Amino acid sequence: MKTFEGSYLGDDEKISDDTCMECKICHYVYKPEEGDDYWQIEKNTPFTKLPDHWHCPNCDGFMDQFMTIDRSDIS
Ligand SMILES: [Zn+2]
């Protein structure tokens, strides 16, 4: 299997509690400080603490298609 730079792939150690994660498919960005209304995720929930059934609220993609994103890339 090909791996991609910055891919999540279940590697929690690369992701800190305030790391933003971007969906590779639809570019939805999960921001821990905002949580996620769709899945009723409370604010300040790190990506790594999301429930196993969580997936992209925008395109229904799985968590493993998310990659880390630099905060300087988003406003
Ligand atoms: Zn998506």
Side-chain angles (χ1 to χ4, degrees):
M1 191 171 90
K2 206 169 161 75
T3 58
F4 295 92
E5 188 79 24
S7 281
Y8 171 50
L9 298 173
D11 185 0
D12 289 359
E13 292 185 10
K14 274 195 287 199
I15 304 171
S16 43
D17 285 356
D18 64 347
T19 300
C20 290
M21 300 291 287
E22 180 180 23
C23 177
K24 280 193 285 200
I25 295 177
C26 71
H27 303 291
Y28 164 86
V29 175
Y30 178 78
K31 297 176 187 171
E33 70 270 27
E34 292 182 2
D36 173 15
D37 287 342
Y38 183 85
W39 287 101
Q40 299 181 350
I41 304 298
E42 288 184 31
K43 291 180 178 177
N44 299 313
T45 302
F47 191 81
T48 52
K49 295 289 189 329
L50 292 172
D52 289 342
H53 63 262
W54 189 90
H55 45 254
C56 182
N58 198 42
C59 75
D60 250 14
F62 291 107
M63 289 173 82
D64 61 6
Q65 77 189 14
F66 278 74
M67 48 189 188
T68 57
I69 181 170
D70 199 309
R71 271 179 192 273
S72 59
D73 289 345
I74 54 179
S75 51

